[in-house]
Amino acid sequence: MTDTRPLRPIAVYGASGHTARFVLAELQRRGLPALAVGRSAASLPAGVPHRVATIDDAAALDAAFAGCAAVINCAGPFLDTAQPVAEAAIRAGAHYIDVTAEQASAMAVFERLDAPARAAGVAVIPAAGFYGGLADLLASSLLGPRGEADELTVAVALDRWWPTAGTRKTGERNTVPRLIVDGGRLVALALPAARSTWHFGEPHGQQPVIELPFSETITISHHLRVGGLRSHLTESSLEEIRDETTPPPASVDALGRSAQRFEMVVRARQGDSVRTATASGRDIYAVSAPLVVEAAARLAQAGPARAGALALGEAFDAADFLQSLAPQHLHLG
């Protein structure tokens, strides 16, 4: 879509964090006015207008988001930040977007904030980053207007997973049992998690995978009718993130991205028909930025098709949204 500078800024909460730096850079690249918001002025990036607010200070959050078109929340763990930040965005009349991979956080936003968002005439979109957002867009584009499948499978290959400090902190905080969809209902993932193999494209090839659902289970099941939904991650990625000695991501290019390569596959089965959609690219933290910035830009410039708590593929035309990110940020197949 064509950028048109919105009259009001887009606030980035948790602006000192790793993913937020990509978000701010993407806003700047697109010529969209940004406002950095964080818990202390000293930690916020230089050269960007900023405001200070902590999640336990509702008045400060209200002041921070006053006059903003949208709020992008990059501050995890989202189990702690999503509700107070989203509620403040709604009070300010601003759209809300976050990048959580936490199932419980996304579920809580859908359940608690749909009615307040509709009353305020704004969109609230949790889990719009790599796991919840990209998978939901692929599934939505694959299933089309009917939005149903007997079975949906998501498989993610990461050639490396260098976790950020925020990812490690979230992992320690998030002890909620993981959910899958079985028989059209959300149910707990059976443990020990199932292991299998999946053949990805190059450079990943055939990889051992482990069943490991993230927020895509919640975003997809929120608006698409699927009988079963299971998600798989390359085993080597899980081993790396569990290893305390694995270093954080290091920048290797002018955009600040790491060398990490990813592929996400969504496979849908309806009766005897099987269809597949894929997206590949570089750095799962970095690619979350164009996802949420594109959403914020569309909301700021045209407003939501309808207000309320929505998944990314529910709020926008999924195929059009994906095409807007290709090929600069994503390679689609």
Side-chain angles (χ1 to χ4, degrees):
M1 65 181 291
T2 302
D3 283 341
T4 302
R5 183 182 292 270
L7 297 177
R8 298 185 292 160
I10 295 170
V12 180
Y13 189 75
S16 62
H18 184 82
T19 300
R21 299 300 179 108
F22 289 113
V23 173
L24 287 168
E26 181 67 9
L27 288 168
Q28 183 179 40
R29 184 189 71 80
R30 294 185 55 158
L32 299 169
L35 176 68
V37 183
R39 296 158 183 156
S40 71
S43 65
L44 293 173
V48 182
H50 70 269
R51 296 173 184 169
V52 175
T54 58
I55 59 170
D56 58 354
D57 189 338
L61 288 171
D62 289 348
F65 302 150
C68 292
V71 175
I72 300 173
N73 182 8
C74 297
F78 293 90
L79 283 168
D80 300 323
T81 70
Q83 186 159 339
V85 175
E87 287 176 343
I90 292 170
R91 291 194 298 270
H95 306 293
Y96 171 85
I97 306 162
D98 72 37
V99 296
T100 187
E102 302 162 47
Q103 292 186 333
S105 173
M107 284 184 69
V109 169
F110 283 134
E111 292 170 358
R112 300 172 187 171
L113 298 183
D114 180 57
R118 283 189 283 110
V122 299
V124 168
I125 306 177
F130 175 76
Y131 286 103
L134 182 55
D136 185 63
L137 288 169
L138 290 171
S140 298
S141 65
L142 194 59
L143 300 190
R146 293 188 62 183
E148 61 182 22
D150 293 334
E151 184 179 79
L152 205 65
T153 306
V154 179
V156 174
L158 308 178
D159 61 354
R160 296 295 304 271
W161 192 348
W162 297 290
T164 65
T167 296
R168 291 201 180 280
K169 185 176 180 181
T170 296
E172 294 169 359
R173 171 73 174 86
N174 184 21
T175 58
V176 181
R178 295 179 185 266
L179 302 175
I180 61 169
V181 176
D182 188 31
R185 299 182 301 110
L186 287 168
V187 299
L189 171 69
L191 297 176
R195 285 175 160 80
S196 57
T197 58
W198 191 280
H199 191 84
F200 297 93
E202 294 300 327
H204 307 285
Q206 184 164 302
Q207 292 284 336
V209 296
I210 186 167
E211 190 167 6
L212 189 65
F214 291 93
S215 54
E216 73 286 339
T217 301
I218 309 306
T219 55
I220 290 170
S221 65
H222 176 70
H223 69 111
L224 300 175
R225 298 179 300 280
V226 295
L229 171 56
R230 294 177 178 271
S231 300
H232 308 274
L233 178 71
T234 43
E235 282 195 32
S236 59
S237 307
L238 182 60
E239 291 168 359
E240 283 188 313
I241 200 171
R242 286 177 170 173
D243 184 350
E244 294 181 358
T245 67
T246 302
S251 169
V252 298
D253 69 11
L255 299 178
R257 298 179 302 179
S258 73
Q260 179 195 61
R261 298 283 180 176
F262 67 79
E263 181 181 341
M264 178 179 285
V265 182
V266 177
R267 185 178 66 191
R269 182 183 65 79
Q270 183 70 28
D272 295 330
S273 173
V274 177
R275 292 171 294 148
T276 300
T278 66
S280 59
R282 176 96 161 263
D283 194 329
I284 63 173
Y285 299 107
V287 81
S288 291
L291 284 164
V292 296
V293 169
E294 178 67 18
R298 292 182 181 220
L299 292 172
Q301 293 163 10
R306 64 185 177 89
L310 309 167
L312 194 58
E314 181 183 18
F316 307 104
D317 180 311
D320 176 71
F321 196 107
L322 285 167
Q323 286 299 327
S324 73
L325 302 181
Q328 181 174 9
H329 303 291
L330 293 171
H331 298 284
L332 304 174

